[in-house]
Amino acid sequence: LGAIGYFQAREDLTDAALQRRASIAFLTATLLHERLDRLADVGVALATRVRFRELIESGRWSEAAAILKDVPSNFSYIERIILADPAGTVKADIVEPSDIIGKNLASFDWYKGVSANWEPYVSEAFKAASAPHFIGVAIAVPIKSDTGAVLGIVAMQVVTDTLLEWAKDIDVGPGRFVYFTDQRGHLLAHPKFPAQTEIVDFSSAPAIARILRGESGT
């Protein structure tokens, strides 16, 4: 009877602990989802400014970028904003001097994602095209005319360490931490990998592999 009681208590306590962990994980995921949605909303707000669209439509890319220069000071998690034409060629950059103007970035996931249906898109982890080449995530938003024609793209880069700052709002208890991966299992933010300059593949980690297979649980 003592052994049965012990194992039953152990099973009950384990289930309760796992349920608490699952709740924390769900809360963290919800927090990240809301923050990324908010970033996409910021991108849409920028891309739909009347004056901004007029400058893009008339080919005055540098003047359009100048309108966005104060955005990082108001949204500290936005590291950089570039403007690209519908083919993915960078036409303007809020960072000066820029070493990527004129480069075609159509091979980047943010371009492939936004151009698939010309809708806002949160990218996979990617290595920035300019120095210091940190790993980041981009929110790409199409710039459209009043008639719906695609004029260009606003791409906002977020350094992945920002995600860890967001995670600090979640109390996971002593000796524990939160980390994030993208939709392919590439590490986005991890306390043991700060300021990444290379993409780290976490897709083989047991928990990540289960999620990528469409499973759930703890």
Side-chain angles (χ1 to χ4, degrees):
L1 289 175
I4 292 172
Y6 166 79
F7 286 113
Q8 184 63 53
R10 178 175 176 171
E11 183 177 344
D12 292 343
L13 291 171
T14 300
D15 287 345
L18 292 178
Q19 288 175 8
R20 287 196 299 271
R21 299 293 172 265
S23 297
I24 292 171
F26 179 79
L27 178 60
T28 305
T30 301
L31 172 68
L32 180 62
H33 189 274
E34 290 176 350
R35 295 287 175 88
L36 292 174
D37 278 351
R38 192 179 306 169
L39 268 179
D41 290 342
V42 170
V44 171
L46 297 176
T48 53
R49 288 183 179 182
V50 175
R51 179 58 178 162
F52 177 78
R53 287 190 302 169
E54 289 175 349
L55 292 171
I56 294 295
E57 199 160 13
S58 61
R60 296 152 69 182
W61 296 88
S62 297
E63 292 180 50
I67 295 177
L68 308 182
K69 281 192 174 182
D70 291 336
V71 172
S73 62
N74 296 321
F75 301 94
S76 58
Y77 37 80
I78 298 176
E79 179 75 9
R80 189 173 198 168
I81 303 176
I82 64 172
L83 304 179
D85 66 15
T89 300
V90 179
K91 308 297 285 187
D93 187 348
I94 67 168
V95 174
E96 294 181 346
S98 174
D99 56 356
I100 60 172
I101 292 179
K103 288 185 178 181
N104 185 275
L105 304 183
S107 62
F108 279 56
D109 177 67
W110 61 260
Y111 175 79
K112 294 177 181 178
V114 72
S115 62
N117 298 302
W118 294 114
E119 297 290 341
Y121 178 75
V122 178
S123 80
E124 301 171 1
F126 72 98
K127 190 171 184 176
S130 58
H133 305 292
F134 285 130
I135 303 303
V137 61
I139 291 83
V141 178
I143 308 166
K144 297 181 180 181
S145 68
D146 291 334
T147 61
V150 177
L151 305 173
I153 303 164
V154 174
M156 304 183 300
Q157 181 179 333
V158 179
V159 174
T160 53
D161 282 356
T162 300
L163 304 183
L164 284 180
E165 293 296 321
W166 292 347
K168 288 180 180 178
D169 294 337
I170 305 297
D171 182 11
V172 294
R176 304 182 182 94
F177 59 87
V178 172
Y179 69 88
F180 301 115
T181 73
D182 67 10
Q183 53 267 54
R184 295 172 63 88
H186 297 148
L187 202 61
L188 284 178
H190 194 298
K192 296 183 180 180
F193 297 90
Q196 299 162 213
T197 56
E198 297 296 334
I199 292 178
V200 179
D201 189 355
F202 255 54
S203 60
S204 60
I208 303 303
R210 288 185 63 182
I211 295 297
L212 293 177
R213 291 196 300 267
E215 300 177 22
S216 61
T218 302

